[in-house]
Amino acid sequence: MSHYASYISSLRNATLTRYFTALRALAQIYLVGPGDARELATIIADTDRFQGIFRAEEVYEFAERRADWYVVRRDVERAMYGIGCAVM
């Protein structure tokens, strides 16, 4: 990704650089380990990280494509939506 980033920045196209920066940030959801489900939920919900290019729903759809999604899904949804919380 770093080599692609240097190539994209050498093109000096501001729009393309912005899109590629958002794509690099999106790639981070595949690098987070299954033990860090809360961090994954934070990445998915943080819209500023993607500079408004990707919405949280779109990032969630990309996260669903992880090979270990069914392992981390419950923890990610619990961190994002507060599933499992009870108000007394």
Side-chain angles (χ1 to χ4, degrees), residues 35-49:
D36 298 323
R38 288 187 182 274
E39 180 65 28
L40 183 59
T42 303
I43 292 171
I44 293 171
D46 186 13
T47 56
D48 293 334
R49 181 182 303 254

Side-chain angles (χ1 to χ4, degrees), residues 8 57 62 71 78:
I8 295 296
E57 295 84 14
F62 278 104
V71 175
R78 182 176 291 150

